[in-house]
């Protein structure tokens, strides 16, 4: 009989062998005819399905709203310093991207994980926060360096407004907001941040689209698809910062000594 040599890799998301490439079975021509946007490409290449318009629009909103948050945040700072050291565009980009993690931009997956578990178990939000405190874990998706109760994050407000209008259910968002209601009693900066809002709303989106089984939603959470959204979005801003520094011909960066506390 025929013997199939073992392949080097297995791939399930695209095919470039035919006359035109396909993303999960959908050809480039079909995508262009359907006026496909970045959300459609993410739907096919990450989630392996065609998502409805309200979902792809939501994904695009996340990308646009998270593209940049000024030059002072960790990622932009690293990119700016790297650009000023005369490095190439890709080095500038990755040095910024490498700061994305549990404290900065990379809390979306963990926020989705913890909010899902707590909400699915009908855990009282106050008890959830106290449980996290006992475990010594900061609630992912809660807290911000400059945003607070009286200086709300516009991105969070805009995403919530869209979801309330277009999503069939906002159960997880409502849970996250109850968590915020409790944490705000502890400190004014313990707001639901943009990572937490996206994490909760993605749970709502995937659970309500009707195309994801409970096991598939769990897989998204377990594998950790969602930090990718921040990485993708913020790359736009980081590239902008790198080009900006190069355009401005900024010199090598060095901290002034008085910005450092030298101590023993
Ligand atoms: N859950 C519970 N308590 C918290 C949380 C949280 N998420 N964040 C801060 N606190 C508490 C701290 O324990 C601390 O209390 P303590 O003084 O009794 O120890 C107090 O609030 C102040 O903590 P700081 O570290 O000074 O807060 P800071 O403003 O520096 O932290 C940060 C901001 C890093 C975002 C923090 O809130 C956090 O780690 N949040 C969870 C991770 C997260 O969601 N990151 C994404 C932020 S949004 C973005 O990056 C796009
Ligand atoms: C961001 O989007 O970079 C942030 O919310 C973090 C910050 O401190 O502004």
């Amino acid at each position: 009989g025929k013997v199939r040599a073992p392949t080097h890799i297995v791939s399930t998301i695209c095919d470039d062998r035919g006359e035109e490439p396909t993303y999960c079975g959908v050809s480039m021509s079909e995508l262009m005819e359907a006026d496909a946007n970045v959300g459609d490409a993410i739907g096919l290449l990450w989630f392996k399905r065609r998502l409805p318009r309200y979902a792809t629009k939501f994904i695009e909103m996340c990308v646009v709203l998270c593209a940049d948050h000024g030059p002072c945040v960790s990622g932009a700072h690293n990119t700016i310093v790297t650009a000023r050291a005369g490095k190439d565009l890709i080095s500038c980009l990755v040095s910024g991207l490498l700061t994305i993690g549990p404290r900065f931009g990379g809390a979306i997956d963990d926020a989705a994980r913890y909010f899902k578990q707590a909400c699915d178990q009908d855990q009282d939000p106050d008890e959830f926060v106290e449980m996290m405190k006992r475990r010594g874990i900061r609630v992912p998706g809660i807290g911000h360096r400059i945003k607070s109760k009286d200086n709300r994050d516009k991105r969070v407000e805009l995403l919530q407004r869209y979801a309330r209008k277009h999503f069939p259910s906002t159960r997880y968002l409502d849970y996250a907001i109850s968590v915020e209601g409790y944490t705000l009693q502890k400190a004014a900066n313990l707001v639901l941040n943009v990572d937490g809002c996206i994490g909760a709303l993605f749970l709502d989106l995937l659970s309500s689209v009707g195309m994801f089984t409970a096991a598939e939603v769990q897989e998204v959470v377990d594998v950790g698809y969602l930090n990718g959204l921040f990485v993708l979005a913020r790359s736009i801003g980081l590239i902008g910062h790198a080009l900006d520094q190069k355009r401005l011909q900024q010199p090598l960066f060095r901290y002034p000594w008085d910005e450092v506390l030298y101590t023993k």
Side-chain angles (χ1 to χ4, degrees):
K2 283 184 186 165
V3 178
R4 176 76 166 91
T7 58
H8 291 283
I9 60 169
V10 179
S11 172
T12 69
I13 59 168
C14 54
D15 196 338
D16 60 312
R17 293 169 301 174
E19 195 189 337
E20 59 176 313
T22 57
Y23 291 166
C24 219
V26 182
S27 71
M28 298 283 160
S29 306
E30 285 172 81
L31 286 172
M32 291 305 102
E33 273 159 33
D35 235 347
N37 61 24
V38 169
D40 289 293
I42 291 176
L44 292 165
L45 292 172
W46 297 11
F47 295 95
K48 294 182 63 177
R49 69 201 67 203
R50 287 193 105 143
L51 295 172
R53 201 69 189 171
Y54 77 88
T56 60
K57 165 84 182 148
F58 172 72
I59 293 174
E60 285 225 322
M61 282 177 71
C62 293
V63 172
V64 172
L65 293 174
C66 292
D68 191 56
H69 210 234
C72 304
V73 303
S74 304
H77 173 268
N78 263 23
T79 289
I80 288 169
V81 171
T82 309
R84 291 181 56 165
K87 301 281 296 209
D88 61 286
L89 180 65
I90 295 172
S91 302
C92 298
L93 171 63
V94 298
S95 83
L97 289 178
L98 287 172
T99 64
I100 297 177
R103 294 181 184 167
F104 167 64
I108 310 181
D109 282 310
D110 275 342
R113 269 179 207 123
Y114 282 108
F115 288 149
K116 182 171 191 310
Q117 198 176 41
C119 182
D120 288 353
Q121 289 172 358
D122 277 330
Q123 188 173 19
D124 178 65
D126 303 11
E127 165 50 27
F128 165 65
V129 175
E130 291 303 330
M131 180 201 76
M132 296 293 274
K133 191 173 175 176
R134 282 196 298 277
R135 291 188 187 171
I137 305 169
R138 291 189 173 187
V139 181
I142 293 287
H144 201 274
R145 264 287 161 94
I146 59 165
K147 294 294 164 191
S148 67
K149 195 175 185 173
D150 303 314
N151 172 27
R152 291 306 183 116
D153 192 327
K154 195 73 188 172
R155 299 168 295 181
V156 172
E157 191 187 311
L158 291 168
L159 290 170
Q160 281 188 36
R161 195 185 304 161
Y162 180 83
R164 293 207 187 284
K165 189 162 173 203
H166 298 279
F167 286 18
S169 156
T170 54
R171 176 171 157 247
Y172 291 104
L173 173 69
D174 296 339
Y175 187 83
I177 287 173
S178 321
V179 169
E180 177 193 55
Y182 186 68
T183 54
L184 281 179
Q185 292 171 32
K186 292 174 175 274
N189 76 322
L190 295 185
V191 288
L192 177 66
N193 60 42
V194 74
D195 281 12
C197 179
I198 292 175
L201 282 177
F202 248 91
L203 292 174
D204 284 321
L205 185 71
L206 302 179
S207 313
S208 61
V209 160
M211 285 187 285
F212 290 81
T213 63
E216 285 168 340
V217 177
Q218 192 59 48
E219 186 181 47
V220 168
V221 170
D222 290 344
V223 170
Y225 288 33
L226 305 177
N227 286 344
L229 275 173
F230 191 90
V231 172
L232 176 75
R234 194 49 61 94
S235 294
I236 299 171
L238 296 178
I239 291 170
H241 284 291
L243 298 177
D244 195 35
Q245 296 304 306
K246 287 173 185 291
R247 193 168 47 228
L248 294 167
Q249 299 185 330
Q250 289 294 285
L252 180 67
F253 178 83
R254 195 180 201 278
Y255 271 110
W257 281 319
D258 57 10
E259 287 290 324
V260 178
L261 173 66
Y262 290 91
T263 181
K264 286 210 164 70

